[in-house]
Amino acid sequence: RRRTAVLISGRGSNMAALLTAARDPAYPAEIALVLANRADAGGLALAAAAGVPTAVVESRPFRGDRAAHEAAVQAVLEAHDIGLLCLAGYMRLLTPFLVGRWAGRMLNIHPSLLPAFPGLDTHARALAAGVKLHGCTVHLVTEEMDAGPILAQAAVPVLPGDDAASLGARVLAQEHVIYPMALALVAGRAATPPAADVALSNPLPTPPSLP
Ligand code: GAR
């Protein structure tokens, strides 16, 4: 099983979905570390309760020196003999230092159907744009933000009366489905998979009953 670290900044619901999937001994990845860049990340307590080693490498003391922060993160990953990385609500832009070291081995989940709506506030922006389908994407991390090769996507409908919270909750439920699928896909292959031939079909969400 591939030793995998999950990097978080907040509540860690995607991390929890990965932990649940990895409880199955047949799952090809083992969550060997949960690392946060904030000591107050809620997901740390969840991970500790599940018996998973945790680490905190606070970004704030590095005062914008992203390379130095990433070097500290890399040292912790090496100390835990990590072979795959999952960003799960890890709200840091990465530099070529980490991106280059983990090329083909670092996944991210993003709450939109990329390439639509990279960046922040995706649900409000999807509503403002008037799209009828929204969703989430798991992709390999490359230097350009939210632009790496796509591993998995799931679409959800935008329903009348949705606000960012209701739409975001519908998307989040699908995030918890496709992230474990995408990690299994990458972990089940040889190290450093070629990005181009990695693909999953969409898990189809239950169609809503329309008025
Ligand atoms: C998730 O919706 C994830 O897609 C998003 O943050 C949330 C984290 O929730 N990530 C980004 O916006 C990355 N730019 P979680 O901590 O409960 O997994």
Side-chain angles (χ1 to χ4, degrees):
R1 304 220 292 163
R2 301 288 296 280
R3 287 179 62 80
T4 302
V6 184
L7 272 54
I8 63 170
S9 299
R11 79 191 148 180
S13 72
N14 277 290
M15 173 214 76
L18 294 171
L19 286 181
T20 300
R23 254 189 236 134
D24 179 351
Y27 191 78
E30 163 196 359
I31 309 304
L33 177 69
V34 169
L35 186 151
N37 70 313
R38 304 169 56 108
D40 62 357
L44 287 169
L46 288 177
V52 174
T54 62
V56 176
V57 183
E58 290 256 30
S59 39
R60 205 170 303 168
F62 288 91
R63 293 181 163 275
D65 186 347
R66 292 195 287 151
H69 177 251
E70 289 186 359
V73 169
Q74 176 69 20
V76 174
L77 298 174
E78 286 176 11
H80 287 261
D81 194 22
I82 297 301
L84 280 178
L85 279 191
C86 288
L87 309 183
Y90 187 67
M91 305 310 267
R92 300 280 300 171
L93 287 176
L94 300 182
T95 79
F97 176 89
L98 272 188
V99 174
R101 273 168 184 72
W102 293 92
R105 299 185 298 146
M106 175 160 45
L107 290 68
N108 181 46
I109 186 145
H110 181 77
S112 77
L113 289 172
L114 292 172
F117 311 119
L120 299 175
D121 297 324
T122 54
H123 309 311
R125 288 160 58 211
L127 288 170
V131 296
K132 299 298 175 195
L133 281 175
H134 185 43
C136 49
T137 302
V138 180
H139 63 95
L140 292 172
V141 176
T142 56
E143 281 188 31
E144 194 184 342
M145 185 190 68
D146 298 334
I150 290 171
L151 299 168
Q153 291 186 304
V156 304
V158 179
L159 297 179
D162 263 340
D163 58 16
S166 62
L167 180 57
R170 194 173 304 123
V171 170
L172 188 66
Q174 293 303 316
E175 295 184 35
H176 299 162
V177 174
I178 65 168
Y179 211 171
M181 291 173 66
L183 174 58
L185 185 73
V186 174
R189 299 165 59 100
T192 325
D197 65 347
V198 178
L200 279 180
S201 57
N202 279 348
L204 291 175
T206 312
S209 46
L210 290 171

